[in-house]
Amino acid sequence: MPDAAFADSFHGGGGHLSSKITGKVALCTSIASFGGFFSRVTWKVFLCSVIASLGGLLFGYDIGISGGVTSMDDFLMKFFPRVYSKKHQAKENNYCKFNDAYLQLFTSSLYLAAIAASFVASFFSRKCGRKLTITLSSVFFLIGAIVNFSAKNLGVLIVGRIFLGWGLGFGNQTIPLFISEIAPAEYRGGLNILFQLLITVGILVANLINYWNSDWRYSLGGAAVPALLLLVCSFIIVDSPSSLIERGKKEEGLNTLKKIRGVDDVEREFEEIVQATEVANRVKHPYLELLMNRNNWPPLFSSVAIHIFQQFTGMNVIMFYAPVLFQTMGFGGKAALLSAAITGVVNCLSTVVSIFSVDKVGRRWLLVAGALTMLLGQCVVGGILHVKLKSTNAVSHGISIVVVIFICLFVSAFAWSWGPLGWLVASETFPLETRNAGYFCAVAINMLCTFIIAQTFLTMLCSMHSSLFFFFAAWLLAMTVSVYTMLPETKGILIDEMAEKAWKQHWFWKRFYHKATGNFEQMEAKYAQTKEVELEKNSQSPVA
Ligand code: BGC
């Protein structure tokens, strides 16, 4: 494709831009200036986002595969003989036949490892860049898949899960941030959701593999294929201009910015990044800054809350344990795996809806509508199981179809709302200086809650029976009210203008930007003063 070299003048969004196209082809034919920045999605940005999102594919694969293998007889016989015999005892209580702490540890150990890994990755990616962190994530995934494929006992199996957890931590900590940094503001939401889309593709592929293949080794070892793909492709992607400039590689950062924008005129965006990185580089202790500077509290509180809520929708109960749940209701092994695969298709297709609506409808409305729809799903499923599924019976064919339909409604609502938006909102609300640290808190809380759900669900199902679904329904009600009252809309706002345009405009959060008055505020003002002096000192020595 020849270079389309032409000079253009564009107006709009508060800026005027005269640009010479040097890149290959733009994905979007309408080229616009957004807030004075050249704004379109080039093939380079699109390709880099898709490649990075392969990390999401691996995340999804691991989520989807655990549910399938934990319901496979061969797997249970080899690693969890007690669960195997309990499952086949006719008089075992429906709700309790899979309840086993070790079985849950198999699923959940990955998420504990991921918390430690994302903490390390939050420093590593700041020092060594997003690209290398993504490469390393694929290496961890690859090792984990190989170890799991060759596992001879439960110990080795858990070691493999821990490697996968490190891959997950490095990937989840870096990929959504990387995409938000390279994406033009106008398309940030849609591009970022590619990560979630590939999570759902991963879950679906895992569901289908579980359905067609009954050998747990291939199911677990299968993760090596996308891991290898990510490893090879990670050498093709660029590093994000912000990360390059933050590490003192200004010229490389400028050239990368030109490459990914497909134009030579990137001075304004480049200057913005340089300014933001200079401020960021002067903040020596981002975690302290996050806690001591009240301006960081609104995005911190909201991102953490969104991730707790995301997990307490109950989505991972379906993702991890759908086959187990369907068997609990009396489905046969194959029917349970097929139903899980159906939820996988629904999950994947529904995510596409949010790619196209998030930058139009906005984050808030998708979150509110999503929570209400999921609330309906949980209540109906809980109600049906309460009436129809007692300790030892199986539900009728007709009823089981209704349950599958409402589970699909629930999954679909999660997929166009809380699933993708959890990652998106947390990656776009922090200023650069606390972006890595703040985002870590969101990822860590997500992994912790995923761990809690994975580790306790089977036990809770055994003791709470169908009331468990109403437990999640109560969370959904709380999150609807919280988002409606507490979350400002971030659609279309430049990443570095969030404080001004979102948080400071919000009826509640704006007080965190007011002048200091009380005791704590005085301490905080002192901290700000010390920081000022430090900034002053640093600005006298040249920034690398
Ligand atoms: C969540 C996962 C969930 C997946 C389902 C992600 O956004 O973080 O916990 O399993 O969506 O699609």
Side-chain angles (χ1 to χ4, degrees), residues 59 63 196 199-200 203 310-311 315-316 319 347 414 419 423 446:
F59 178 23
I63 294 170
Q196 175 73 17
I199 294 180
T200 63
I203 296 175
Q310 191 209 53
Q311 288 307 313
M315 174 65 166
N316 275 329
M319 293 298 106
N347 191 14
F414 179 91
W423 301 104
N446 183 296

Side-chain angles (χ1 to χ4, degrees), residues 522-542:
Q522 279 168 15
M523 204 169 90
E524 192 200 15
K526 216 163 164 191
Y527 167 73
Q529 240 175 22
T530 329
K531 211 175 73 190
E532 280 292 297
V533 175
E534 224 177 79
L535 289 187
E536 192 82 345
K537 259 199 282 172
N538 286 342
S539 63
Q540 277 154 22
S541 56

Side-chain angles (χ1 to χ4, degrees), residues 376-395:
L376 175 73
Q378 289 283 22
C379 289
V380 172
V381 173
I384 292 179
L385 293 189
H386 178 70
V387 176
K388 301 284 178 190
L389 185 69
K390 303 295 171 211
S391 291
T392 49
N393 70 327
V395 296

Side-chain angles (χ1 to χ4, degrees), residues 438-515:
Y439 190 68
F440 161 73
C441 296
V443 175
I445 210 77
N446 183 296
M447 296 294 126
L448 182 68
C449 295
T450 309
F451 167 80
I452 293 172
I453 299 279
Q455 186 65 37
T456 58
F457 169 69
L458 294 176
T459 311
M460 281 165 78
L461 181 67
C462 178
S463 59
M464 292 170 75
H465 294 190
S466 55
S467 322
L468 185 55
F469 295 88
F470 296 105
F471 165 79
F472 289 120
W475 276 93
L476 283 159
L477 197 60
M479 63 185 81
T480 308
V481 177
S482 308
V483 166
Y484 185 75
T485 52
M486 303 301 282
L487 191 72
E489 181 55 66
T490 51
K491 171 188 79 168
I493 298 177
L494 286 172
I495 216 167
D496 290 313
E497 289 183 343
M498 281 304 164
E500 287 305 320
K501 301 223 167 122
W503 302 109
K504 283 190 190 175
Q505 310 301 324
H506 187 266
W507 70 272
F508 178 77
W509 296 117
K510 65 182 176 198
R511 73 193 64 196
F512 286 82
Y513 297 86
H514 281 166
K515 267 214 148 341

